[in-house]
Amino acid sequence: EVQLVESGGALVQPGGSQRLACAGSGFSFSGYSLNWVRQAPGKGLEWIAYISISGDSIYYADSVKGRFTISRDNAKNSLFLQMNNLRDDDTAIYYCARGSLELDSWGQGTLVTVSS
Amino acid sequence: SYVLTQPPSVSVAPGKTATITCGGNNIGSKSVHWYQQKPGQAPVLVISYNGDRPSGIPERFSGSNSGNTATLTLNRVEAGDEADYYCQVWDNSGDHPGVIFGGGTKLTVL
């Protein structure tokens, strides 16, 4: 069974940093591109970052470019999102999702709350 | 950047057919994917590549894509289909490739 499990969500002060992780299992982790998608409370889905199989192609949404960094460790079946200079509007559930054109498997998400 | 437009809400009686649209400039030239999200749950892929059903998705779900509109159709709607539905494409245009989601449509089963 394909599983993606996010961790690292927390209450963070504005301007602070947080690192999210996503552990994959039940599939060949190194054979899939991965994404981070977030959902603010009561709002729709917002894609924020993509990383290719080997990590040589990385793309970001404009809303996080320059503040967030996506990375992966295929040896540890793990995906990461380093979030710096967090703002109130970064408050959201953060999901990792497998795939490139279509996102065929999702984790259950981890909540990041940015508030003083 | 590329924009996908969905109606905020659609209502349908049980047993009837629900149609959810996703508008975009020449969207028929792209592959459209659809997700179902129930309250408190992660999204689930229900239609990929315009009309393919992933394993485990009922045949009542179907999709089409032509011109400037992609459509998700749910036949014989059940109470359990009540959820938010999102369309999605991969946009290669411009300087910023990436995933684009529509704003979502809340399906209410009357």
Side-chain angles (χ1 to χ4, degrees), chain B residues 6-81:
Chain B
Q6 298 182 235
S9 63
V10 167
S11 298
V12 62
K16 300 300 185 182
T17 297
T19 300
I20 298 174
T21 59
C22 176
N25 185 32
N26 197 25
I27 195 174
S29 67
K30 298 181 180 293
S31 292
V32 179
H33 316 289
W34 291 91
Y35 302 87
Q36 176 193 68
Q37 186 181 32
K38 296 182 178 180
Q41 298 184 19
V44 172
L45 180 68
V46 293
I47 291 290
S48 62
Y49 296 96
N50 302 320
D52 293 342
R53 274 187 317 277
S55 174
I57 302 302
E59 291 184 8
R60 301 185 296 103
F61 287 76
S62 63
S64 63
N65 184 18
S66 178
N68 293 318
T69 305
T71 303
L72 173 68
T73 301
L74 283 70
N75 293 313
R76 301 182 301 282
V77 167
E78 304 172 355
D81 297 330

Side-chain angles (χ1 to χ4, degrees), chain A residues 95-110:
Chain A
Y95 296 100
C96 61
R98 184 184 82 168
S100 49
L101 297 185
E102 86 278 25
L103 308 182
D104 65 0
S105 293
W106 297 61
Q108 283 304 302
T110 189

Side-chain angles (χ1 to χ4, degrees), chain A residues 35 37 39 43-47 50 59-60 62 65 95 100-109, chain B residues 31 33 35 37 40-45 48-49 86 88-90 96-103:
Chain A
N35 300 264
V37 177
Q39 187 169 36
K43 302 297 184 182
L45 301 173
E46 179 189 16
W47 169 83
Y50 162 93
Y59 307 120
Y60 297 100
D62 287 345
K65 197 168 186 178
Y95 296 100
S100 49
L101 297 185
E102 86 278 25
L103 308 182
D104 65 0
S105 293
W106 297 61
Q108 283 304 302
Chain B
S31 292
H33 316 289
Y35 302 87
Q37 186 181 32
Q41 298 184 19
V44 172
L45 180 68
S48 62
Y49 296 96
Y86 296 89
Q88 175 253 312
V89 300
W90 177 269
H96 302 296
V99 171
I100 305 292
F101 287 104

